[in-house]
């Protein structure tokens, strides 16, 4: 099986459900392999890191997509995401990111820990009530999504009464990030993008008129103070990105983590006993079953190469983050789930200029939440068959039914 066949298999339902056997095959081809005309596949940890950190390889931005992707401008979801820092390159990326980073600071995120603890306690109390009679409860719906939705909305300043709207909208919007979304998926993504843009247009106007102590107010004020720093469209695009990215990745991290602890009861016991640290657990979940599996870059020079494979101008590079996290050249026994690993450096949050701005927040929520769930419900057990998300870029559960009594 060559690189092109592996990509094809990853795009079918079976490959998306469990991509790891295909990643292992890709590793046998080498850290980088050709994957069809003007495409290469990067699975080596070192090589993926090289591309992520290099400014010589660009994200597929709006200008590139307009030239090479048929129908790009017809989809408001793609156009909206294309105006955000997720899909822009220098100098626009640095201009936007520096402004957002100036208000989305490590200090602001660290200060959220008491709010995260309180939110976890509240959700666990509701979970206890919902499952008190032994009936199955969907962990994703009752906890894994509600926690990060509440936290990112609190940070942004989204009113509590509006927060129930965002999970289905983000689910629909993120289909636009997948490699080959269907026409119905793109239609739903476009509708979600339009609704989210309308929502944040109204919220930004309210915060401009009456600022409060939240991220929307801070960004509106910062953009108004320097009119060349962030356009109105860019402000909206990045607010939508912060919302969706602020809980999608964390929800997947929580669901994937709990499922792995169900599969590995010895590690679950070690976590409860304090032998495994919460930070070590989260690092290993990120490595072993990354919430984000794939990203891409484009070469804009004939002089570039990755892992010895030439990548001339226009070459697309699939960066399989989930495969890089299981690179046998980087991790001993990479197929083994081991939260006691040291020096684990998963690439799940990317790297370089586009390193995920919300990585610290996602880690904070997961390190607080997963131990708390198991402490509160020591007999927590799976109940029924979970359902996986259908994408390849984002990996997680749609439903994860549990029972509190074991």
């Amino acid at each position: 099986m060559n690189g092109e066949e592996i990509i094809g298999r990853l795009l079918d339902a079976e490959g998306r459900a469990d991509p790891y056997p295909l990643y292992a095959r890709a590793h046998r081809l080498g850290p980088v392999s050709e994957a069809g005309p003007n495409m290469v596949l990067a699975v080596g940890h070192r090589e993926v890191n090289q591309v992520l950190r290099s400014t010589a390889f660009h994200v597929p931005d709006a200008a590139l997509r307009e030239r090479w992707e048929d129908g790009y401008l017809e989809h408001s979801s793609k156009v909206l995401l294309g105006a955000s820092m997720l899909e822009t390159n220098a100098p626009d990326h640095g201009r936007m990111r520096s402004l957002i980073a100036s208000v989305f600071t490590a200090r602001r995120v660290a200060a959220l820990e008491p709010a995260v603890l309180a939110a976890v306690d509240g959700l666990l109390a509701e979970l206890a009530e919902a499952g008190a009679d032994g009936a199955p409860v969907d962990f994703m719906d009752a906890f894994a999504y509600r926690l990060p939705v509440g936290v990112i909305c609190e940070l942004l300043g989204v009113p509590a009464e509006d927060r129930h709207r965002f999970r289905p909208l983000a689910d629909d919007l993120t289909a636009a990030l997948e490699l080959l979304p269907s026409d119905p998926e793109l239609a739903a993504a476009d509708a979600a993008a339009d609704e989210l843009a309308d929502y944040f247009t109204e919220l930004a106007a309210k915060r401009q008129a009456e600022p409060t102590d939240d991220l929307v107010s801070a960004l509106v004020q910062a953009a108004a103070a320097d009119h060349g720093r962030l356009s109105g469209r860019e402000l909206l695009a990045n607010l939508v990105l912060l919302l969706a990215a602020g809980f999608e990745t964390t929800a997947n991290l929580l669901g994937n983590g709990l499922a792995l602890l169900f599969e590995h009861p010895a590690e679950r016991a070690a976590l409860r006993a304090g032998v495994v640290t919460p930070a070590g657990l989260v690092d290993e979940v990120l490595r072993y079953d990354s919430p984000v599996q794939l990203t891409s870059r484009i070469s804009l020079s004939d002089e570039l190469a990755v892992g010895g494979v030439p990548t001339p101008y226009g070459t697309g590079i699939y960066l399989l983050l989930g495969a890089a996290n299981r690179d046998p050249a980087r991790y001993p026994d990479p197929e083994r789930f081991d939260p006691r690993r040291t020096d684990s450096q998963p690439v799940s949050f990317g790297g370089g200029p586009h390193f995920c701005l919300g990585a610290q927040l996602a880690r904070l929520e997961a390190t607080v939440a997963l131990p708390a769930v198991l402490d509160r419900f020591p007999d927590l057990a799976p109940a029924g068959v979970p359902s996986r998300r259908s994408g390849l870029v984002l990996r997680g559960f749609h439903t994860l039914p549990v029972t509190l009594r074991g």
Side-chain angles (χ1 to χ4, degrees):
M1 187 178 292
N2 60 33
E4 187 172 7
E5 291 170 327
I6 287 172
I7 285 294
R9 291 281 297 276
L10 284 169
L11 290 172
D12 67 29
E14 183 179 353
R16 293 194 306 269
D18 183 11
Y20 294 108
L22 292 166
Y23 294 167
R25 290 195 176 198
H27 279 298
R28 292 198 287 270
L29 298 176
V32 181
S33 57
E34 294 183 358
N38 300 315
M39 293 299 306
V40 299
L41 188 65
V43 297
H45 189 274
R46 182 178 64 181
E47 291 74 18
V48 167
N49 252 320
Q50 171 199 339
V51 175
L52 288 172
R53 296 174 187 277
S54 172
T55 56
F57 296 95
H58 285 199
V59 299
D61 61 23
L64 293 171
R65 288 179 183 271
E66 283 181 41
R67 289 164 54 192
W68 292 335
E69 187 175 327
D70 291 341
Y72 173 80
L73 292 175
E74 298 171 9
H75 295 289
S76 55
S77 56
K78 294 188 176 186
V79 173
L80 181 67
L81 291 170
S84 76
M85 60 183 176
L86 180 68
E87 296 187 356
T88 51
N89 294 293
D92 291 334
H93 176 265
R95 170 176 56 80
M96 282 188 266
R97 185 180 175 101
S98 63
L99 178 62
I100 295 167
S102 72
V103 294
F104 193 79
T105 61
R107 182 177 179 180
R108 187 187 286 263
V109 171
L112 286 171
E113 185 168 0
V116 172
L117 287 165
V120 167
D121 287 344
L123 290 173
L124 291 178
E126 293 182 26
L127 193 60
E129 184 176 351
D133 61 355
V137 181
D138 178 15
F139 177 76
M140 299 306 296
D141 186 60
F143 188 92
Y145 271 96
R146 289 182 63 195
L147 173 64
V149 166
V151 171
I152 193 62
C153 285
E154 187 70 24
L155 184 62
L156 287 168
V158 171
E161 61 269 21
D162 293 339
R163 297 173 187 178
H164 68 281
R165 301 170 55 178
F166 295 122
R167 180 186 177 182
L169 290 174
D171 275 349
D172 288 342
L173 176 66
T174 52
L177 298 173
E178 294 293 337
L179 289 186
L180 293 175
S182 66
D183 289 342
E185 287 172 335
L186 274 178
D190 293 341
D194 295 342
E195 184 171 341
L196 287 166
D198 288 345
Y199 180 86
F200 278 107
T201 297
E202 183 177 344
L203 184 61
K206 289 179 180 178
R207 294 296 183 263
Q208 187 170 28
E210 297 181 10
T212 58
D213 184 21
D214 58 54
L215 201 58
V216 172
S217 296
L219 283 174
V220 168
Q221 290 171 0
D226 186 348
H227 294 288
R229 195 80 178 275
L230 199 67
S231 71
R233 183 65 174 171
E234 289 168 343
L235 174 65
L236 288 178
N238 283 293
L239 287 174
V240 170
L241 174 66
L242 288 170
L243 173 76
F247 70 83
E248 279 286 347
T249 300
T250 306
N252 291 340
L253 174 57
L254 293 171
N256 293 354
L258 184 62
L260 286 169
L261 290 171
F262 284 154
E263 294 171 14
H264 299 86
E267 304 304 339
R268 173 177 172 173
L271 176 68
R272 296 200 64 223
V275 176
V276 165
T277 67
L281 170 68
V282 171
D283 268 351
E284 184 65 350
V285 174
L286 287 167
R287 186 199 71 83
Y288 190 84
D289 199 14
S290 175
V292 181
Q293 291 281 311
L294 179 149
T295 188
S296 60
R297 296 291 187 271
I298 292 178
S299 169
L300 295 182
S301 170
D302 286 330
E303 308 303 319
L304 296 175
V306 182
V309 176
T311 55
Y313 180 90
T315 299
I317 306 164
Y318 291 126
L319 301 171
L320 294 184
L321 307 179
N325 286 336
R326 294 200 186 188
D327 182 359
R330 174 62 177 80
Y331 296 103
D333 197 6
E335 305 299 327
R336 179 167 56 90
F337 179 69
D338 181 8
R340 297 171 178 83
R341 291 180 190 271
T342 58
D343 190 32
S344 183
Q345 297 178 337
V347 293
S348 308
F349 291 117
H354 284 270
F355 182 76
C356 177
L357 199 60
Q360 180 188 355
L361 180 58
R363 287 181 181 276
L364 169 63
E365 292 175 274
T367 54
V368 168
L370 286 172
V373 169
L374 298 179
D375 286 343
R376 180 67 180 267
F377 306 114
D379 297 322
L380 191 72
V385 180
S387 62
R388 278 274 185 190
R389 298 177 62 127
S390 61
L392 174 61
V393 173
L394 297 177
R395 178 168 171 80
F397 289 93
H398 183 65
T399 64
L400 183 58
V402 298
T403 180
L404 309 185
R405 296 180 177 179

